[in-house]
Amino acid sequence: MPTHTMRAIRLHKHGGPEVLRYDEVPIPEPRPGEVLVRVHAVGVNPPDWYLRDGLTNLPPETRPKFDLPVIPGTDVSGVVEAVAADVDGLSIGDEVFGLLRFPSFDGRAYAEYVAAPASDLARKPAGIDHVHAAGAPMAGLTAWQFLIELGHDHPSPFQAARHCPVALGPDTTVLVNGAAGGVGHFALQLAKWKGAHVIAVASGAHDSFLRELGVDRFIDYTRSRPEELVPGVDLVLDTVGGRDSSRFLRTLKRGGALFPVFFAEYDDTETAKLGVTVSGTQVRSNGAQLAELGRLLDSGAVRVAIDSTFPLADARAAHERAARGHIQGKIVLTVA
């Protein structure tokens, strides 16, 4: 077993990237149903900076409770170091990856070791390294649960109705807004895997990157307005959200759907008049779905793009990179 302490990034107060501290803390003990993972890489995701900011962007009634100091992070890839007595199917030495305990903010992944629920983990695809595997869980599962299969019955805090993915195939056209980011680049690849015609919306810097991923059409939103160029779309997946999201309703055919990944405002009267559906969900940890995604990663049908990597000790620089925006793929922290 390792020594009894480890290095981890912790928040002792809320604020900008400068509040991320590199501390020495006890190594966690796996509880029933958990394994201890020696972390090799950690994915950086929007909830990490929401937590750092104090979750001020979430409606107060949906904010999870947590105490400071807290170790942020949910996405890990690493090696099983210890296994609780009641865990079957995982052994010491297994390479695993996972989205831990989401949607709670209790993943504690920005660390050299993490206690992880075995049900949140899948075997790391042999064909990719820990950095790429750590980039996959949250963004990949978000795309999967929005587009392929929800995989759970938990109500969303953002809508009353259960989210239902749209059947995708050669006769469906999907527009992905924010296509170069974490969720976007997985979503377009999953839609292509299902045979759909995919239109990607992003800034011009991402043109060749998105064409390499197989999109059928690229629209640079800095040069033209996609809603004026694209009629008759079956599904819009909007990873950007915000006030401008409703403009994409005009691209949809009657019976089409808009799936916002981040909350946005829509007028029920307008959607009813257009005959379209707006639906979203909240990603949840799911080791079984991650195993399915892992098979696609292993075969090369889906790949993880890495924007940049930073050592764990430089988590502040990783968050500063995220704040600059225009991310291509995923930002990942590496653990020696």
Side-chain angles (χ1 to χ4, degrees):
M1 278 297 290
T3 53
H4 299 300
T5 61
M6 65 175 183
R7 302 309 294 259
I9 295 289
R10 291 201 298 178
L11 301 168
H12 296 258
K13 60 181 182 179
H14 298 295
E18 72 285 349
V19 302
L20 297 169
R21 283 198 5 203
Y22 193 48
D23 289 346
E24 189 153 326
V25 298
I27 290 176
E29 291 280 329
R31 292 181 297 210
E34 294 184 340
V35 301
L36 182 68
V37 176
R38 167 80 171 90
V39 178
H40 283 262
V42 186
V44 175
N45 292 293
D48 304 352
W49 53 90
Y50 302 163
L51 179 64
R52 194 199 70 218
D53 289 339
L55 305 179
T56 52
N57 67 326
L58 295 183
E61 66 279 5
T62 70
R63 289 178 200 166
K65 299 279 176 279
F66 59 90
D67 296 316
L68 295 174
V70 63
I71 300 173
T74 57
D75 278 9
V76 295
S77 184
V79 178
V80 175
E81 186 93 25
V83 181
D86 62 339
V87 170
D88 291 324
L90 286 176
S91 308
I92 292 171
D94 285 347
E95 294 191 313
V96 291
F97 72 136
L99 165 65
L100 306 187
R101 301 184 187 88
F102 203 79
S104 88
F105 281 77
D106 195 27
R108 304 194 288 274
Y110 282 24
E112 292 178 325
Y113 293 87
V114 66
S119 59
D120 292 353
L121 298 172
R123 289 180 189 277
K124 180 185 80 64
I128 64 173
D129 61 18
H130 287 291
V131 166
H132 287 79
M138 178 174 282
L141 283 175
T142 300
W144 190 273
Q145 290 171 16
F146 268 83
L147 296 182
I148 308 297
E149 181 202 15
L150 184 58
H152 63 80
D153 290 318
H154 297 273
S156 166
F158 308 114
Q159 69 181 39
R162 191 173 188 268
H163 175 73
C164 284
V166 169
L168 300 177
D171 53 350
T172 46
T173 298
V174 178
L175 183 149
V176 180
N177 185 38
V183 174
H185 91 290
F186 282 113
L188 70 88
Q189 292 180 81
L190 290 175
K192 288 302 297 177
W193 170 61
K194 286 290 189 184
H197 180 87
V198 177
I199 301 163
V201 176
S203 66
H206 301 303
D207 186 344
S208 61
F209 167 67
L210 291 167
R211 290 187 196 278
E212 276 172 39
L213 290 181
V215 301
D216 299 286
R217 183 174 179 189
F218 170 77
I219 297 173
D220 178 354
Y221 71 83
T222 68
R223 291 170 176 253
S224 47
R225 296 186 69 75
E227 69 275 17
E228 291 167 7
L229 296 179
V230 188
V233 171
D234 296 284
L235 174 64
V236 171
L237 183 83
D238 183 10
T239 73
V240 180
R243 210 164 299 159
D244 288 343
S245 191
S246 58
R247 67 195 172 116
F248 286 102
L249 293 172
R250 282 170 271 164
T251 68
L252 293 169
K253 60 171 69 160
R254 286 194 82 78
L258 190 153
F259 293 171
V261 176
F262 293 109
F263 1 96
E265 296 295 317
Y266 304 94
D267 181 336
D268 292 343
T269 322
E270 184 187 11
T271 54
K273 197 169 73 187
L274 292 168
V276 299
T277 305
V278 174
S279 177
T281 185
Q282 182 174 45
V283 66
R284 300 189 79 90
S285 301
N286 190 314
Q289 288 181 331
L290 198 56
E292 291 188 63
L293 184 63
R295 285 190 276 280
L296 297 180
L297 293 168
D298 231 352
S299 71
V302 173
R303 63 190 181 90
V304 185
I306 300 299
D307 176 273
S308 46
T309 61
F310 298 84
L312 179 65
D314 289 346
R316 173 182 176 167
H319 279 227
E320 287 167 346
R321 165 69 195 101
R324 292 196 297 275
H326 298 287
I327 297 163
Q328 192 164 281
K330 294 294 300 178
I331 300 168
V332 174
L333 301 172
T334 56
V335 185

